[in-house]
Amino acid sequence: MKRFFQWMIRHRSALCTALILGVSTAFLLEHLAFPFLLRDTTAVGGDTPAHNYLASHLETQLLHQGRIVSWAPGWWCGFPVFQFYFPLPYLLMALMDILLPFNLAFKWGSILGILLMPLCAWGAGRLMRLSSPTPWLLALASLLALFVKTHTMWGANIYSTLAGMIANSISFPLMLLFLAAAWRDADDERFRIRTVILFAAVLGTHFFTALLAGLTVAIYPLLRWPRVRRTALILAGEGALAVALMAWWLIPLVLKNQFSVDFGDNWRNSLGSTMPEYAPYLLPAAGAGIALAVMRNCRPVLAFAWLGLAGTLLYMFGNRLTPVFVNVRFWPFIFFSFLALAACGA
């Protein structure tokens, strides 16, 4: 018994991490009605049936024809599926279908982003070398981002995912890992393939997360002053290689963009009115996060602040640049940045 307690003391950090992430995952599965995730039934709700069609079509084309982008005849007179939409989440579902019935592969692929959020938030804190217990607090903060009830279709939260924003849901935790991995590379002044793969995955998963990820990493060289040039070369090299890996999809997307449709117009709401009722209670912690980051020169925390600032600027003025930048699509980045700063301040 004495040796057991000694072992627990030596490994207390790992045990706390396992406990927090395990309880968070169980908590999420409980709210996602775990028994229904094991039933071979069709998932519906919001736009989900349309995404079911995308995944089933890709499963047929990938496994039998070896194609990702193809012509789908199931809607109207047909359309070029995945020519203008993000293929990687559905590619994952198609591969999962090798081992699971399609309905189960689709269900578990759909909620993958939800389940990964606490783990990736914790992993981001670890990669950024944030002191304990900040990574744990980031994992817990991600639960607030998932369960926020302000909206049901702007992205990243559970409501949006179950309404059909599957690609956005998966891209968000990938973005967190990419931001952290890129910071680690900048801090170590090392080029790493893992960061390239993460950014390529974000590029192939959702446009808005790829945009905010790129804008956030673009500030890293300045945060690494005076090592600006070396940092910029490393991050630019990683970004260029990631774009090259996804060029098979990105180049046709850009060249054929004239055949796509716009996202729509801005929503008529103010940023302050969309925040949940508990947001004012977290303001002191968020302010402390920024203040401590400046005082202690904890530059990764300033990266979270820049993510929120970039999202806020695009929320307010992005639609003036292009109709693609609908304001509410940037709200999840602003809110998560706020939560991350509060976790760091706490």
Side-chain angles (χ1 to χ4, degrees):
M1 185 64 70
K2 181 179 179 181
R3 290 183 178 180
F4 175 72
F5 283 115
Q6 289 175 341
W7 179 86
M8 290 186 65
I9 292 172
R10 285 198 305 269
H11 298 88
R12 59 187 180 276
S13 179
L15 290 172
C16 286
T17 300
L19 177 63
I20 291 172
L21 295 179
V23 170
S24 297
T25 302
F27 182 74
L28 289 169
L29 287 173
E30 171 64 22
H31 281 78
L32 290 169
F34 179 72
F36 289 98
L37 295 173
L38 302 178
R39 296 184 182 179
D40 189 5
T41 54
T42 303
V44 296
D47 294 336
T48 301
H51 294 267
N52 187 298
Y53 175 73
L54 295 179
S56 62
H57 179 81
L58 178 57
E59 184 269 336
T60 302
Q61 292 295 313
L62 181 69
L63 300 183
H64 299 286
Q65 306 293 333
R67 295 183 298 190
I68 295 177
V69 179
S70 61
W71 189 262
W75 285 344
W76 304 295
C77 295
F79 70 106
V81 65
F82 299 115
Q83 183 69 76
F84 304 108
Y85 201 67
F86 323 102
L88 291 189
Y90 307 92
L91 177 62
L92 178 63
M93 294 177 190
L95 295 175
M96 290 171 64
D97 188 40
I98 298 174
L99 302 175
L100 298 172
F102 173 76
N103 284 325
L104 293 183
F106 180 79
K107 286 181 180 181
W108 286 96
S110 297
I111 66 168
L112 183 62
I114 296 173
L115 299 178
L116 285 178
M117 270 288 276
L119 175 63
C120 291
W122 169 82
R126 293 280 294 177
L127 277 174
M128 287 179 161
R129 296 192 176 104
L130 296 175
S131 60
S132 182
T134 308
W136 301 336
L137 294 175
L138 285 172
L140 296 176
S142 71
L143 293 178
L144 293 178
L146 288 171
F147 280 93
V148 66
K149 298 181 179 180
T150 297
H151 64 92
T152 59
M153 56 186 303
W154 298 349
N157 66 346
I158 292 176
Y159 282 126
S160 299
T161 305
L162 299 184
M165 297 191 69
I166 298 166
N168 180 279
S169 173
I170 294 175
S171 70
F172 212 90
L174 290 177
M175 179 197 70
L176 297 180
L177 283 183
F178 164 68
L179 293 179
W183 177 261
R184 185 67 166 262
D185 296 348
D187 201 33
D188 294 342
E189 296 186 355
R190 287 186 58 187
F191 183 101
R192 290 187 173 99
I193 292 297
R194 73 178 179 196
T195 309
V196 174
I197 295 173
L198 282 170
F199 190 40
V202 173
L203 285 170
T205 308
H206 207 271
F207 168 73
F208 287 105
T209 42
L211 173 67
L212 267 296
L215 289 176
T216 303
V217 169
I219 204 71
Y220 285 5
L222 295 180
L223 294 178
R224 286 284 299 154
W225 185 273
R227 311 287 297 192
V228 176
R229 184 174 180 275
R230 174 69 175 166
T231 302
L233 288 174
I234 291 172
L235 296 177
E238 291 176 342
L241 184 54
V243 171
L245 288 175
M246 291 300 299
W248 61 272
W249 180 71
L250 290 173
I251 292 176
L253 173 68
V254 174
L255 293 180
K256 299 179 181 180
N257 188 54
Q258 59 179 316
F259 301 109
S260 64
V261 296
D262 292 334
F263 280 81
D265 297 323
N266 275 342
W267 287 44
R268 295 182 179 179
N269 52 31
S270 63
L271 186 57
S273 65
T274 59
M275 289 294 165
E277 64 277 3
Y278 56 79
Y281 299 104
L282 297 180
L283 271 175
I290 297 176
L292 289 170
V294 174
M295 292 168 57
R296 297 184 178 182
N297 199 28
C298 189
R299 299 180 186 184
V301 179
L302 296 179
F304 285 131
W306 173 248
L307 171 65
L309 179 59
T312 302
L313 292 174
L314 289 172
Y315 180 95
M316 297 173 64
F317 308 111
N319 202 244
R320 300 180 186 180
L321 300 175
T322 170
V324 173
F325 291 169
V326 179
N327 57 356
V328 294
R329 302 306 297 274
F330 299 105
W331 191 93
F333 303 95
I334 300 169
F335 185 59
F336 182 84
S337 171
F338 173 70
L339 295 176
L341 291 173
C344 294

